[in-house]
Amino acid sequence: MDTDFDITIIGAGVIGLAVAAEVSRLRQEVCVVERHETFGMETSSRNSEVVHSGIYYPQDTLKANLCVHGKTMLYELCGKYDLPHKKLGKLIVASRSDEVQELERLKENGERNGVSDLILISRQEMARLEPNVAGVAALFSPSTGIIDSHSLMRHYERRARENDTVFSYNAEVRGLSKEPEGYRIEIRQEKETYSFQSRAIINCAGLESDHIASLAGMDIDKENYRIHFSKGEYFRVIRQPETRVNHLIYPVPQSDSGWLGVHITLDLQEQMKLGPSAESVDAIDYTVNSAHQKLFYAAAKKYLPRLAYADIQPDMAGIRPKLAKEEEGFRDFIIRNETDKELPGFINLIGIESPGLTCSPAIAAYVADILRSVF
Ligand SMILES: Cc1cc2nc3c(=O)[nH]c(=O)nc-3n(C[C@H](O)[C@H](O)[C@H](O)COP(=O)(O)OP(=O)(O)OC[C@H]3O[C@@H](n4cnc5c(N)ncnc54)[C@H](O)[C@@H]3O)c2cc1C
């Protein structure tokens, strides 16, 4: 067939890169188009870097299945290629006795999803594990961990390049049209405009993935593909002996919106952060509002009683590409070949919010399976 590429991936975040590393093994000509000068300049570098275990998501959803498989695949990758990570473990802490029932429900839910190592622990056991954390009981998830997301992305990019994937940076997709043998893709790169053909397109454009679908002619409101931005801010904690923790510490989630609540994350340098919050926004703006310090302090003080107001400082922010409107409840990832919308070989990945980083290798394998039916 006479096209420039077999597969074009739009977006070089962790998802586009994982997909490139995997589908370039199918012996097809693969190209990745990214508008920034390098990979991982958006959401994939603005998150908690937690390897989630798969506790929260409803059974038989993509989020649940891809998270549980993705976690195992990620730890295997980390072991095989020496990628920096730590299986720290996580505690979901009940601050009040009426939250203990929710811990039991989360444990059952996690087990239905295939998370088999969850343990309910008492106040005394929790005090032994985390002397600075207050609560009446906790759910312990030993397989939750943290990973250096940049090293992971660099690994995926290297694998893809080894399989001859072409990376086009500073290249923004401005137009998409259906042609008899695939798609024509219009690119704006360094003040020049050009176009090329590809048999298949994989839309991994994160916060812009609904826009890319609309460029291909899809009505994103009719399809319910519109992305809503939800900003998550972080405050860093200046570590004091009385606020030191050894695990990731989460509160019991207060709604089924998918927001896990302000929690304590640790990175590989043992820097402690509070966050991310969840605020509906219309535009991409990564500044952290210092006036929110009071809210973070109040949220963290519940389970970290000796935290002082002066111990926390504004840090960074990320933006979730959410399909669910505020208060809409659970929405799953969209990962589908749009053949029934007369766009065969156009594969949309929309709403890849948390736990997208964890899911990345499993999403890549899922997309490769879809592609096998295209070629
Ligand atoms: C606050 C926060 C905390 C999170 N914490 C976790 C966590 O702890 N664990 C976890 O598993 N997940 C977490 N996530 C989710 C995870 O970060 C995302 O699921 C993942 O990074 C999504 O990757 P992506 O490649 O889809 O998107 P992105 O990283 O946003 O990449 C999309 C890319 O597409 C490019 N692009 C867009 N439009 C165009 C165009 N027209 N032309 C060319 N390129 C284009 C962009 O420039 C960008 O580089 C969190 C997310 C947030 C916001």
Side-chain angles (χ1 to χ4, degrees), residues 11 13 15 34-36 42 44 47-48 50 173 352-353 356 358:
I15 302 298
E34 166 56 53
R35 62 182 169 183
H36 293 298
E42 298 199 1
S44 299
N47 59 63
S48 308
V50 172
V173 174
I352 313 297
E353 54 169 330
T358 309

Side-chain angles (χ1 to χ4, degrees), residues 102-116:
E102 185 56 14
L103 293 185
E104 285 161 6
R105 196 196 66 76
L106 286 172
K107 180 170 184 284
E108 280 166 23
N109 196 65
E111 284 168 353
R112 274 197 298 272
N113 289 343
V115 190
S116 54

Side-chain angles (χ1 to χ4, degrees), residues 127-175:
R128 195 179 50 76
L129 290 175
E130 289 292 359
N132 290 323
V133 173
V136 298
L139 182 62
F140 179 43
S141 167
S143 65
T144 304
I146 49 173
I147 183 165
D148 176 357
S149 55
H150 194 81
S151 299
L152 178 67
M153 288 191 275
R154 201 171 42 227
H155 165 79
Y156 287 141
E157 202 219 28
R158 193 179 307 131
R159 304 295 294 175
R161 282 192 192 277
E162 280 165 11
N163 298 328
D164 299 324
T165 299
V166 173
F167 280 84
S168 194
Y169 287 119
N170 290 315
E172 180 165 351
V173 174
R174 291 280 183 93

Side-chain angles (χ1 to χ4, degrees), residues 10-16 33-36 42-44 46-50 52 171-173 204-206 208 212 232 234 276 318-320 352-358:
I10 305 173
V14 72
I15 302 298
V33 186
E34 166 56 53
R35 62 182 169 183
H36 293 298
E42 298 199 1
T43 310
S44 299
R46 297 178 164 276
N47 59 63
S48 308
E49 301 187 300
V50 172
H52 286 292
E172 180 165 351
V173 174
C204 300
E208 297 282 337
I212 294 293
Y234 293 85
I319 298 187
R320 306 171 182 87
I352 313 297
E353 54 169 330
S354 191
L357 176 71
T358 309

Side-chain angles (χ1 to χ4, degrees), residues 33-257:
V33 186
E34 166 56 53
R35 62 182 169 183
H36 293 298
E37 65 206 46
T38 186
F39 61 81
M41 301 288 280
E42 298 199 1
T43 310
S44 299
S45 300
R46 297 178 164 276
N47 59 63
S48 308
E49 301 187 300
V50 172
V51 181
H52 286 292
S53 63
I55 299 172
Y56 302 96
Y57 321 105
Q59 195 185 5
D60 293 332
T61 57
L62 288 174
K63 282 185 180 169
N65 294 341
L66 297 172
C67 183
V68 172
H69 289 120
K71 171 188 67 179
T72 307
M73 293 167 87
L74 261 194
Y75 284 133
E76 276 169 17
L77 273 183
C78 288
K80 190 166 171 193
Y81 297 101
D82 210 13
L83 303 178
H85 73 291
K86 246 186 213 168
K87 219 187 251 189
L88 284 177
K90 145 176 170 175
L91 292 178
I92 306 176
V93 176
S95 302
R96 306 182 312 257
S97 49
D98 61 344
E99 287 180 338
V100 176
Q101 222 181 340
E102 185 56 14
L103 293 185
E104 285 161 6
R105 196 196 66 76
L106 286 172
K107 180 170 184 284
E108 280 166 23
N109 196 65
E111 284 168 353
R112 274 197 298 272
N113 289 343
V115 190
S116 54
D117 56 358
L118 299 171
I119 311 165
L120 273 170
I121 60 171
S122 64
R123 184 199 295 260
Q124 292 74 17
E125 287 167 287
M126 195 175 80
R128 195 179 50 76
L129 290 175
E130 289 292 359
N132 290 323
V133 173
V136 298
L139 182 62
F140 179 43
S141 167
S143 65
T144 304
I146 49 173
I147 183 165
D148 176 357
S149 55
H150 194 81
S151 299
L152 178 67
M153 288 191 275
R154 201 171 42 227
H155 165 79
Y156 287 141
E157 202 219 28
R158 193 179 307 131
R159 304 295 294 175
R161 282 192 192 277
E162 280 165 11
N163 298 328
D164 299 324
T165 299
V166 173
F167 280 84
S168 194
Y169 287 119
N170 290 315
E172 180 165 351
V173 174
R174 291 280 183 93
L176 290 169
S177 48
K178 178 87 193 72
E179 298 205 328
E181 296 195 337
Y183 296 87
R184 178 153 294 277
I185 303 167
E186 273 173 50
I187 302 286
R188 178 83 180 157
Q189 188 173 31
E190 285 155 18
K191 297 189 187 143
E192 280 184 27
T193 304
Y194 61 90
S195 71
F196 65 90
Q197 276 187 307
S198 179
R199 279 172 71 192
I201 290 183
I202 309 178
N203 172 11
C204 300
L207 295 166
E208 297 282 337
S209 51
D210 57 347
H211 173 63
I212 294 293
S214 74
L215 287 182
M218 300 190 79
D219 180 337
I220 57 172
D221 288 313
K222 185 168 149 253
E223 304 299 342
N224 222 353
Y225 282 4
R226 188 173 288 279
I227 293 281
H228 307 279
F229 296 160
S230 169
K231 183 168 176 177
E233 293 179 328
Y234 293 85
F235 277 68
R236 81 180 147 271
V237 181
I238 302 156
R239 278 189 113 179
Q240 311 286 4
E242 60 273 18
T243 56
R244 211 187 145 81
V245 296
N246 310 306
H247 304 82
L248 304 163
I249 308 290
Y250 285 60
V252 171
Q254 298 300 316
S255 75
D256 59 3
S257 65

